[in-house]
Amino acid sequence: MVPQSRFLLATAAAAVALGFAAGAQAAVTVIGGGLAEACSQAAVRGESDREYEELCDLAIETEFLNARDRAGTYVNRGVLRMRRTEYGKAIEDFDQAIRMKPDLGEGYVNRGAAYIGQERYEASIGEINRGLELGVEEPAKAYYNRALAYEGLEDARSAYFDYQKAQELAPGWGAPAEQLARFTVTRRSVPQ
């Protein structure tokens, strides 16, 4: 019998077709042994090979997991698929995770990241907003993803503020700073 696992949840950002975006990727960490943990470790390490996806498949098919653990394993498999730009399959996994655990903010944020990969920017923003409302372990990555979506919609102002928020929440993470360096901010004087 596999020991009950607990989760430290994270988010994943899609490597988007926006040319400038290098995508932030993280995963759901499963602690407690078994195939679900091996799937988790592969996602956390940034793996994308199909052999790691097979670990997730086996965990889902054969291991006794509570709803949160099973939903997290679907999220991890979706992250692996998203890294290979298999956005449709990744979305199916995030959908399944959300059906099992509707209060899992990471499911929504990751689905939003996959939508960015599909250039469905407006839909992405709604998903990421829902994930942020529910709460996520790494909100900086959610704000970063939403900034990517805003850039896809050519809303530079909103993107700038979300990159700033991501940098504020995770000052040691270089990706938001790299994106902010592309912006030039000017102040307009208001006629009196």
Side-chain angles (χ1 to χ4, degrees):
M1 183 166 170
V2 177
Q4 289 297 316
S5 302
R6 71 177 183 81
F7 281 92
L8 171 63
L9 299 172
T11 62
V16 299
L18 293 175
F20 58 79
Q25 297 194 356
V28 177
T29 302
V30 178
I31 301 170
L35 296 167
E37 182 180 6
C39 167
S40 167
Q41 289 172 351
V44 168
R45 284 193 312 267
E47 303 290 352
S48 62
D49 293 340
R50 291 190 194 285
E51 69 185 84
Y52 298 107
E53 182 180 330
E54 291 172 13
L55 294 173
C56 303
D57 294 343
L58 286 170
I60 290 166
E61 294 167 9
T62 65
E63 290 189 327
F64 175 75
L65 302 168
N66 64 33
R68 188 169 181 90
D69 293 350
R70 187 169 301 283
T73 302
Y74 275 104
V75 168
N76 284 333
R77 187 172 73 178
V79 167
L80 296 172
R81 289 173 165 178
M82 194 166 34
R83 287 193 183 119
R84 292 193 309 269
T85 67
E86 295 175 0
Y87 301 118
K89 287 183 175 184
I91 290 168
E92 289 173 11
D93 281 340
F94 303 138
D95 289 347
Q96 183 63 29
I98 291 166
R99 277 192 294 277
M100 293 178 151
K101 197 77 174 124
D103 61 343
L104 184 66
E106 283 75 12
Y108 295 94
V109 171
N110 282 310
R111 187 163 61 186
Y115 286 167
I116 292 169
Q118 293 179 326
E119 300 182 26
R120 296 170 55 190
Y121 305 119
E122 282 191 41
S124 174
I125 291 169
E127 293 295 311
I128 294 167
N129 287 344
R130 179 68 177 138
L132 285 167
E133 287 170 10
L134 291 169
V136 292
E137 288 293 321
E138 294 182 285
K141 292 182 179 179
Y143 283 102
Y144 183 87
N145 287 342
R146 194 171 71 180
L148 295 175
Y150 280 130
E151 283 210 69
L153 293 171
E154 298 181 12
D155 182 349
R157 180 181 173 87
S158 295
Y160 176 81
F161 287 121
D162 274 356
Y163 287 133
Q164 272 193 324
K165 183 69 172 177
Q167 186 175 42
E168 172 189 320
L169 292 170
W173 181 33
E178 289 173 21
Q179 297 305 325
L180 286 167
R182 297 181 300 104
F183 287 81
T184 302
V185 179
T186 57
R187 297 195 185 270
R188 294 183 187 164
S189 59
V190 178
Q192 296 182 1

